[in-house]
Amino acid sequence: MRVGIGHDTHRLEAGRPLILGGVRIEHPRGLAGHSDADVVLHAVTDALLGAAGLGDIGDWYPDTDPAFHQCDSAVFLQETLHKLNQSGWCVVNLDVILFAQEPKLGPVKQQVRANLARLLGLAQDAVNVKAKTGEKVGAIGRAEAIACQAAVLIDQRAAPRGA
Ligand code: MG
């Protein structure tokens, strides 16, 4: 078994869609970035890469590559999951913390959880999503940015045969 951690931060900006964990959320501002700037999928992808010893998301999907401009970050996650599966790793569970002063994430936590479970092919009880505000302190607390942390456990023994 191996563990991996991931972290990401993106700036909130007017005129951008807000997409968290592949879920589009109605909000006047969204996250700025080269891809769709999905801070959750970036942190989870980094956690998976870290657990497998495969570097980080910038190694595989550099923000200087036009191929990834406005890219759906689910592509990064699912390609990374495929790499792990090909090496015999499967995901045991995922735990995620979202840090956002706004919007209030309580109402969308379960949607994000369900979509992460779907993208990773996991049961919903193997995925957990927690939400924190910035307590009005720092860049998160001033609603300038949204951040995400992810921790993942992967297991080689439980890999499907032939993976
Ligand atoms: Mg990112």
Side-chain angles (χ1 to χ4, degrees), residues 13-18 24 27-37 70:
E13 193 173 275
R16 291 273 301 182
L18 179 60
R24 174 78 186 257
H27 192 60
R29 295 186 297 157
L31 295 174
H34 182 66
S35 65
D36 67 2
Q70 296 184 347

Side-chain angles (χ1 to χ4, degrees), residues 1-9 38-61 73 76-85 89-97 116 120 122 126-128 148-155:
M1 284 186 168
R2 302 258 195 97
V3 295
I5 59 169
H7 178 95
D8 199 21
T9 305
D38 189 328
V39 72
V40 177
L41 296 189
H42 293 183
V44 173
T45 299
D46 254 350
L48 290 171
L49 289 168
L54 289 172
D56 69 28
I57 194 169
D59 295 334
W60 294 92
Y61 306 105
S73 296
F76 307 156
L77 179 62
Q78 294 199 294
E79 284 187 3
T80 300
L81 180 64
H82 185 67
K83 277 188 196 78
L84 266 65
N85 290 159
W89 294 109
C90 70
V91 179
V92 178
N93 76 301
L94 169 69
D95 195 11
V96 167
I97 312 174
L116 286 171
L120 291 166
L122 291 173
V127 177
N128 195 74
C148 183
Q149 292 177 349
V152 70
L153 183 70
I154 62 173
D155 189 357

